[in-house]
PDB file of all heavy atoms in Angstrom:
ATOM      1  N   MET F   1       0.833  -1.172   0.000  1.00 96.00           N
ATOM      2  CA  MET F   1       0.000   0.000   0.000  1.00 96.00           C
ATOM      3  C   MET F   1       0.882   1.241   0.000  1.00 96.00           C
ATOM      4  O   MET F   1       1.927   1.256   0.631  1.00 96.00           O
ATOM      5  CB  MET F   1      -0.914  -0.007   1.222  1.00 96.00           C
ATOM      6  CG  MET F   1      -1.902  -1.165   1.213  1.00 96.00           C
ATOM      7  SD  MET F   1      -2.877  -1.407   2.734  1.00 96.00           S
ATOM      8  CE  MET F   1      -3.348   0.207   3.203  1.00 96.00           C
ATOM      9  N   ILE F   2       0.424   2.266  -0.666  1.00 97.00           N
ATOM     10  CA  ILE F   2       1.187   3.510  -0.790  1.00 97.00           C
ATOM     11  C   ILE F   2       0.670   4.527   0.233  1.00 97.00           C
ATOM     12  O   ILE F   2      -0.535   4.701   0.392  1.00 97.00           O
ATOM     13  CB  ILE F   2       1.052   4.090  -2.217  1.00 97.00           C
ATOM     14  CG1 ILE F   2       1.500   3.072  -3.265  1.00 97.00           C
ATOM     15  CG2 ILE F   2       1.799   5.412  -2.350  1.00 97.00           C
ATOM     16  CD1 ILE F   2       2.960   2.715  -3.205  1.00 97.00           C
ATOM     17  N   PHE F   3       1.616   5.200   0.902  1.00 97.00           N
ATOM     18  CA  PHE F   3       1.277   6.200   1.905  1.00 97.00           C
ATOM     19  C   PHE F   3       2.131   7.441   1.690  1.00 97.00           C
ATOM     20  O   PHE F   3       3.302   7.336   1.310  1.00 97.00           O
ATOM     21  CB  PHE F   3       1.542   5.678   3.317  1.00 97.00           C
ATOM     22  CG  PHE F   3       0.776   4.441   3.660  1.00 97.00           C
ATOM     23  CD1 PHE F   3       1.335   3.188   3.463  1.00 97.00           C
ATOM     24  CD2 PHE F   3      -0.509   4.524   4.164  1.00 97.00           C
ATOM     25  CE1 PHE F   3       0.633   2.040   3.770  1.00 97.00           C
ATOM     26  CE2 PHE F   3      -1.220   3.378   4.469  1.00 97.00           C
ATOM     27  CZ  PHE F   3      -0.655   2.130   4.276  1.00 97.00           C
ATOM     28  N   ASN F   4       1.565   8.603   1.952  1.00 97.00           N
ATOM     29  CA  ASN F   4       2.337   9.839   1.997  1.00 97.00           C
ATOM     30  C   ASN F   4       2.784  10.044   3.436  1.00 97.00           C
ATOM     31  O   ASN F   4       2.025   9.773   4.368  1.00 97.00           O
ATOM     32  CB  ASN F   4       1.496  11.031   1.534  1.00 97.00           C
ATOM     33  CG  ASN F   4       1.183  10.951   0.068  1.00 97.00           C
ATOM     34  OD1 ASN F   4       2.030  10.576  -0.734  1.00 97.00           O
ATOM     35  ND2 ASN F   4      -0.039  11.274  -0.305  1.00 97.00           N
ATOM     36  N   CYS F   5       4.014  10.511   3.602  1.00 97.00           N
ATOM     37  CA  CYS F   5       4.591  10.654   4.946  1.00 97.00           C
ATOM     38  C   CYS F   5       5.276  11.995   5.099  1.00 97.00           C
ATOM     39  O   CYS F   5       5.667  12.628   4.118  1.00 97.00           O
ATOM     40  CB  CYS F   5       5.639   9.573   5.190  1.00 97.00           C
ATOM     41  SG  CYS F   5       5.004   7.912   5.155  1.00 97.00           S
ATOM     42  N   LYS F   6       5.446  12.370   6.371  1.00 98.00           N
ATOM     43  CA  LYS F   6       6.267  13.519   6.734  1.00 98.00           C
ATOM     44  C   LYS F   6       7.225  13.078   7.835  1.00 98.00           C
ATOM     45  O   LYS F   6       6.893  12.220   8.655  1.00 98.00           O
ATOM     46  CB  LYS F   6       5.411  14.673   7.251  1.00 98.00           C
ATOM     47  CG  LYS F   6       4.650  15.386   6.150  1.00 98.00           C
ATOM     48  CD  LYS F   6       4.033  16.647   6.675  1.00 98.00           C
ATOM     49  CE  LYS F   6       3.417  17.426   5.519  1.00 98.00           C
ATOM     50  NZ  LYS F   6       2.862  18.697   5.960  1.00 98.00           N
ATOM     51  N   ILE F  22       8.905   8.937  11.069  1.00 98.00           N
ATOM     52  CA  ILE F  22       8.018   9.417  10.020  1.00 98.00           C
ATOM     53  C   ILE F  22       6.567   9.140  10.394  1.00 98.00           C
ATOM     54  O   ILE F  22       6.267   8.188  11.100  1.00 98.00           O
ATOM     55  CB  ILE F  22       8.355   8.803   8.643  1.00 98.00           C
ATOM     56  CG1 ILE F  22       8.119   7.290   8.632  1.00 98.00           C
ATOM     57  CG2 ILE F  22       9.793   9.134   8.250  1.00 98.00           C
ATOM     58  CD1 ILE F  22       8.262   6.653   7.263  1.00 98.00           C
ATOM     59  N   ASP F  25       0.265   9.194   6.346  1.00 96.00           N
ATOM     60  CA  ASP F  25      -1.028   9.869   6.344  1.00 96.00           C
ATOM     61  C   ASP F  25      -2.147   8.994   6.903  1.00 96.00           C
ATOM     62  O   ASP F  25      -3.195   9.491   7.296  1.00 96.00           O
ATOM     63  CB  ASP F  25      -1.389  10.390   4.956  1.00 96.00           C
ATOM     64  CG  ASP F  25      -1.397   9.333   3.868  1.00 96.00           C
ATOM     65  OD1 ASP F  25      -1.099   8.150   4.147  1.00 96.00           O
ATOM     66  OD2 ASP F  25      -1.696   9.679   2.715  1.00 96.00           O
ATOM     67  N   VAL F  36       9.684  -0.931   5.030  1.00 97.00           N
ATOM     68  CA  VAL F  36       9.006  -0.043   4.080  1.00 97.00           C
ATOM     69  C   VAL F  36       9.961   0.237   2.931  1.00 97.00           C
ATOM     70  O   VAL F  36      11.186   0.142   3.078  1.00 97.00           O
ATOM     71  CB  VAL F  36       8.564   1.291   4.731  1.00 97.00           C
ATOM     72  CG1 VAL F  36       7.626   1.057   5.899  1.00 97.00           C
ATOM     73  CG2 VAL F  36       9.748   2.141   5.156  1.00 97.00           C
ATOM     74  N   ILE F  37       9.403   0.588   1.796  1.00 97.00           N
ATOM     75  CA  ILE F  37      10.200   1.085   0.667  1.00 97.00           C
ATOM     76  C   ILE F  37       9.927   2.578   0.587  1.00 97.00           C
ATOM     77  O   ILE F  37       8.779   3.014   0.485  1.00 97.00           O
ATOM     78  CB  ILE F  37       9.818   0.390  -0.650  1.00 97.00           C
ATOM     79  CG1 ILE F  37      10.142  -1.108  -0.555  1.00 97.00           C
ATOM     80  CG2 ILE F  37      10.547   1.041  -1.832  1.00 97.00           C
ATOM     81  CD1 ILE F  37       9.652  -1.928  -1.728  1.00 97.00           C
ATOM     82  N   VAL F  38      10.991   3.364   0.674  1.00 96.00           N
ATOM     83  CA  VAL F  38      10.888   4.817   0.611  1.00 96.00           C
ATOM     84  C   VAL F  38      11.304   5.257  -0.785  1.00 96.00           C
ATOM     85  O   VAL F  38      12.350   4.832  -1.286  1.00 96.00           O
ATOM     86  CB  VAL F  38      11.787   5.491   1.678  1.00 96.00           C
ATOM     87  CG1 VAL F  38      11.699   7.001   1.592  1.00 96.00           C
ATOM     88  CG2 VAL F  38      11.422   5.010   3.077  1.00 96.00           C
ATOM     89  N   TYR F  39      10.482   6.086  -1.399  1.00 94.00           N
ATOM     90  CA  TYR F  39      10.785   6.614  -2.729  1.00 94.00           C
ATOM     91  C   TYR F  39      11.513   7.942  -2.554  1.00 94.00           C
ATOM     92  O   TYR F  39      10.931   8.928  -2.113  1.00 94.00           O
ATOM     93  CB  TYR F  39       9.508   6.788  -3.548  1.00 94.00           C
ATOM     94  CG  TYR F  39       8.795   5.473  -3.788  1.00 94.00           C
ATOM     95  CD1 TYR F  39       7.629   5.149  -3.113  1.00 94.00           C
ATOM     96  CD2 TYR F  39       9.316   4.551  -4.688  1.00 94.00           C
ATOM     97  CE1 TYR F  39       6.996   3.939  -3.331  1.00 94.00           C
ATOM     98  CE2 TYR F  39       8.693   3.338  -4.909  1.00 94.00           C
ATOM     99  CZ  TYR F  39       7.530   3.039  -4.228  1.00 94.00           C
ATOM    100  OH  TYR F  39       6.913   1.829  -4.439  1.00 94.00           O
ATOM    101  N   LEU F  40      12.811   7.953  -2.899  1.00 87.00           N
ATOM    102  CA  LEU F  40      13.651   9.138  -2.749  1.00 87.00           C
ATOM    103  C   LEU F  40      14.338   9.460  -4.066  1.00 87.00           C
ATOM    104  O   LEU F  40      15.148   8.672  -4.548  1.00 87.00           O
ATOM    105  CB  LEU F  40      14.739   8.909  -1.691  1.00 87.00           C
ATOM    106  CG  LEU F  40      14.317   8.587  -0.271  1.00 87.00           C
ATOM    107  CD1 LEU F  40      15.534   8.307   0.583  1.00 87.00           C
ATOM    108  CD2 LEU F  40      13.525   9.726   0.308  1.00 87.00           C
ATOM    109  N   ASN F  41      14.017  10.584  -4.626  1.00 81.00           N
ATOM    110  CA  ASN F  41      14.703  11.067  -5.833  1.00 81.00           C
ATOM    111  C   ASN F  41      14.805   9.994  -6.916  1.00 81.00           C
ATOM    112  O   ASN F  41      15.870   9.752  -7.476  1.00 81.00           O
ATOM    113  CB  ASN F  41      16.097  11.599  -5.492  1.00 81.00           C
ATOM    114  CG  ASN F  41      16.057  12.706  -4.459  1.00 81.00           C
ATOM    115  OD1 ASN F  41      15.115  13.487  -4.423  1.00 81.00           O
ATOM    116  ND2 ASN F  41      17.058  12.766  -3.610  1.00 81.00           N
ATOM    117  N   LYS F  43      14.638   6.806  -6.571  1.00 88.00           N
ATOM    118  CA  LYS F  43      15.180   5.536  -6.089  1.00 88.00           C
ATOM    119  C   LYS F  43      14.208   4.919  -5.089  1.00 88.00           C
ATOM    120  O   LYS F  43      13.507   5.627  -4.374  1.00 88.00           O
ATOM    121  CB  LYS F  43      16.534   5.746  -5.408  1.00 88.00           C
ATOM    122  CG  LYS F  43      17.614   6.247  -6.327  1.00 88.00           C
ATOM    123  CD  LYS F  43      18.891   6.449  -5.560  1.00 88.00           C
ATOM    124  CE  LYS F  43      19.951   7.022  -6.489  1.00 88.00           C
ATOM    125  NZ  LYS F  43      21.150   7.418  -5.763  1.00 88.00           N
ATOM    126  N   ASN F  44      14.204   3.592  -5.059  1.00 93.00           N
ATOM    127  CA  ASN F  44      13.401   2.858  -4.088  1.00 93.00           C
ATOM    128  C   ASN F  44      14.347   2.268  -3.045  1.00 93.00           C
ATOM    129  O   ASN F  44      15.091   1.346  -3.347  1.00 93.00           O
ATOM    130  CB  ASN F  44      12.636   1.720  -4.764  1.00 93.00           C
ATOM    131  CG  ASN F  44      11.799   2.198  -5.922  1.00 93.00           C
ATOM    132  OD1 ASN F  44      11.473   3.371  -6.028  1.00 93.00           O
ATOM    133  ND2 ASN F  44      11.447   1.295  -6.793  1.00 93.00           N
ATOM    134  N   LEU F  45      14.312   2.813  -1.837  1.00 93.00           N
ATOM    135  CA  LEU F  45      15.229   2.371  -0.792  1.00 93.00           C
ATOM    136  C   LEU F  45      14.470   1.672   0.331  1.00 93.00           C
ATOM    137  O   LEU F  45      13.536   2.241   0.906  1.00 93.00           O
ATOM    138  CB  LEU F  45      16.002   3.559  -0.219  1.00 93.00           C
ATOM    139  CG  LEU F  45      16.872   4.335  -1.211  1.00 93.00           C
ATOM    140  CD1 LEU F  45      17.502   5.539  -0.522  1.00 93.00           C
ATOM    141  CD2 LEU F  45      17.941   3.438  -1.796  1.00 93.00           C
ATOM    142  N   PHE F  47      13.885   0.322   4.085  1.00 94.00           N
ATOM    143  CA  PHE F  47      14.276   0.607   5.460  1.00 94.00           C
ATOM    144  C   PHE F  47      13.415  -0.239   6.380  1.00 94.00           C
ATOM    145  O   PHE F  47      12.180  -0.196   6.312  1.00 94.00           O
ATOM    146  CB  PHE F  47      14.070   2.087   5.816  1.00 94.00           C
ATOM    147  CG  PHE F  47      15.000   3.017   5.109  1.00 94.00           C
ATOM    148  CD1 PHE F  47      14.603   3.673   3.960  1.00 94.00           C
ATOM    149  CD2 PHE F  47      16.292   3.226   5.584  1.00 94.00           C
ATOM    150  CE1 PHE F  47      15.456   4.533   3.297  1.00 94.00           C
ATOM    151  CE2 PHE F  47      17.159   4.088   4.925  1.00 94.00           C
ATOM    152  CZ  PHE F  47      16.742   4.741   3.770  1.00 94.00           C
ATOM    153  N   LEU F  61      12.663   4.636  11.545  1.00 96.00           N
ATOM    154  CA  LEU F  61      13.576   4.058  10.568  1.00 96.00           C
ATOM    155  C   LEU F  61      14.999   4.385  10.999  1.00 96.00           C
ATOM    156  O   LEU F  61      15.256   5.460  11.537  1.00 96.00           O
ATOM    157  CB  LEU F  61      13.325   4.641   9.171  1.00 96.00           C
ATOM    158  CG  LEU F  61      11.892   4.642   8.656  1.00 96.00           C
ATOM    159  CD1 LEU F  61      11.832   5.307   7.280  1.00 96.00           C
ATOM    160  CD2 LEU F  61      11.329   3.242   8.594  1.00 96.00           C
ATOM    161  N   HIS F  77      18.053  13.724   2.403  1.00 94.00           N
ATOM    162  CA  HIS F  77      16.661  13.855   1.968  1.00 94.00           C
ATOM    163  C   HIS F  77      15.727  13.973   3.168  1.00 94.00           C
ATOM    164  O   HIS F  77      14.835  14.833   3.189  1.00 94.00           O
ATOM    165  CB  HIS F  77      16.261  12.656   1.100  1.00 94.00           C
ATOM    166  CG  HIS F  77      14.867  12.728   0.607  1.00 94.00           C
ATOM    167  ND1 HIS F  77      14.515  13.461  -0.496  1.00 94.00           N
ATOM    168  CD2 HIS F  77      13.730  12.178   1.085  1.00 94.00           C
ATOM    169  CE1 HIS F  77      13.206  13.353  -0.685  1.00 94.00           C
ATOM    170  NE2 HIS F  77      12.719  12.570   0.256  1.00 94.00           N
ATOM    171  N   PHE F  78      15.935  13.126   4.178  1.00 96.00           N
ATOM    172  CA  PHE F  78      15.075  13.168   5.362  1.00 96.00           C
ATOM    173  C   PHE F  78      15.237  14.487   6.126  1.00 96.00           C
ATOM    174  O   PHE F  78      14.265  15.039   6.639  1.00 96.00           O
ATOM    175  CB  PHE F  78      15.344  11.984   6.279  1.00 96.00           C
ATOM    176  CG  PHE F  78      14.804  10.677   5.771  1.00 96.00           C
ATOM    177  CD1 PHE F  78      15.631   9.562   5.680  1.00 96.00           C
ATOM    178  CD2 PHE F  78      13.477  10.549   5.378  1.00 96.00           C
ATOM    179  CE1 PHE F  78      15.135   8.344   5.225  1.00 96.00           C
ATOM    180  CE2 PHE F  78      12.973   9.339   4.917  1.00 96.00           C
ATOM    181  CZ  PHE F  78      13.808   8.238   4.837  1.00 96.00           C
ATOM    182  N   LYS F  86       8.316  18.624   3.754  1.00 96.00           N
ATOM    183  CA  LYS F  86       7.952  18.024   2.472  1.00 96.00           C
ATOM    184  C   LYS F  86       7.408  16.614   2.692  1.00 96.00           C
ATOM    185  O   LYS F  86       7.921  15.875   3.525  1.00 96.00           O
ATOM    186  CB  LYS F  86       9.176  17.914   1.561  1.00 96.00           C
ATOM    187  CG  LYS F  86       9.721  19.214   1.075  1.00 96.00           C
ATOM    188  CD  LYS F  86      10.885  18.925   0.136  1.00 96.00           C
ATOM    189  CE  LYS F  86      11.573  20.169  -0.321  1.00 96.00           C
ATOM    190  NZ  LYS F  86      12.739  19.855  -1.160  1.00 96.00           N
ATOM    191  N   GLU F  87       6.400  16.267   1.905  1.00 96.00           N
ATOM    192  CA  GLU F  87       5.895  14.901   1.941  1.00 96.00           C
ATOM    193  C   GLU F  87       6.716  14.021   1.010  1.00 96.00           C
ATOM    194  O   GLU F  87       7.280  14.497   0.028  1.00 96.00           O
ATOM    195  CB  GLU F  87       4.424  14.857   1.485  1.00 96.00           C
ATOM    196  CG  GLU F  87       3.456  15.288   2.542  1.00 96.00           C
ATOM    197  CD  GLU F  87       2.014  14.940   2.180  1.00 96.00           C
ATOM    198  OE1 GLU F  87       1.704  14.671   0.995  1.00 96.00           O
ATOM    199  OE2 GLU F  87       1.187  14.951   3.106  1.00 96.00           O
ATOM    200  N   PHE F  88       6.770  12.759   1.329  1.00 96.00           N
ATOM    201  CA  PHE F  88       7.384  11.762   0.452  1.00 96.00           C
ATOM    202  C   PHE F  88       6.528  10.507   0.537  1.00 96.00           C
ATOM    203  O   PHE F  88       5.642  10.393   1.385  1.00 96.00           O
ATOM    204  CB  PHE F  88       8.856  11.495   0.829  1.00 96.00           C
ATOM    205  CG  PHE F  88       9.028  11.035   2.238  1.00 96.00           C
ATOM    206  CD1 PHE F  88       9.075   9.680   2.544  1.00 96.00           C
ATOM    207  CD2 PHE F  88       9.135  11.953   3.272  1.00 96.00           C
ATOM    208  CE1 PHE F  88       9.224   9.256   3.853  1.00 96.00           C
ATOM    209  CE2 PHE F  88       9.285  11.531   4.585  1.00 96.00           C
ATOM    210  CZ  PHE F  88       9.328  10.177   4.877  1.00 96.00           C
ATOM    211  N   THR F  89       6.798   9.564  -0.335  1.00 97.00           N
ATOM    212  CA  THR F  89       5.951   8.379  -0.464  1.00 97.00           C
ATOM    213  C   THR F  89       6.686   7.134   0.007  1.00 97.00           C
ATOM    214  O   THR F  89       7.879   6.973  -0.232  1.00 97.00           O
ATOM    215  CB  THR F  89       5.538   8.209  -1.945  1.00 97.00           C
ATOM    216  OG1 THR F  89       4.918   9.418  -2.377  1.00 97.00           O
ATOM    217  CG2 THR F  89       4.558   7.080  -2.117  1.00 97.00           C
ATOM    218  N   ILE F  90       5.920   6.261   0.682  1.00 98.00           N
ATOM    219  CA  ILE F  90       6.436   4.941   1.038  1.00 98.00           C
ATOM    220  C   ILE F  90       5.461   3.880   0.539  1.00 98.00           C
ATOM    221  O   ILE F  90       4.285   4.163   0.309  1.00 98.00           O
ATOM    222  CB  ILE F  90       6.665   4.763   2.558  1.00 98.00           C
ATOM    223  CG1 ILE F  90       5.330   4.793   3.335  1.00 98.00           C
ATOM    224  CG2 ILE F  90       7.640   5.790   3.094  1.00 98.00           C
ATOM    225  CD1 ILE F  90       5.452   4.338   4.780  1.00 98.00           C
ATOM    226  N   ASP F  91       5.972   2.683   0.379  1.00 98.00           N
ATOM    227  CA  ASP F  91       5.163   1.512   0.063  1.00 98.00           C
ATOM    228  C   ASP F  91       5.400   0.529   1.211  1.00 98.00           C
ATOM    229  O   ASP F  91       6.544   0.198   1.519  1.00 98.00           O
ATOM    230  CB  ASP F  91       5.601   0.927  -1.276  1.00 98.00           C
ATOM    231  CG  ASP F  91       4.741  -0.225  -1.748  1.00 98.00           C
ATOM    232  OD1 ASP F  91       3.779  -0.591  -1.053  1.00 98.00           O
ATOM    233  OD2 ASP F  91       5.045  -0.771  -2.823  1.00 98.00           O
ATOM    234  N   ALA F  92       4.310   0.082   1.842  1.00 97.00           N
ATOM    235  CA  ALA F  92       4.480  -0.749   3.034  1.00 97.00           C
ATOM    236  C   ALA F  92       3.229  -1.573   3.310  1.00 97.00           C
ATOM    237  O   ALA F  92       2.156  -1.219   2.858  1.00 97.00           O
ATOM    238  CB  ALA F  92       4.768   0.154   4.234  1.00 97.00           C
TER     239      ALA F  92
END
Side-chain angles (χ1 to χ4, degrees):
M1 296 172 43
I2 303 295
F3 301 93
N4 292 320
C5 297
K6 286 190 173 183
I22 65 173
D25 56 359
V36 301
I37 296 173
V38 179
Y39 298 106
L40 300 176
N41 303 327
K43 296 179 183 172
N44 305 340
L45 300 176
F47 291 97
L61 310 178
H77 181 82
F78 286 128
K86 292 183 185 177
E87 281 193 342
F88 58 94
T89 305
I90 66 168
D91 185 1

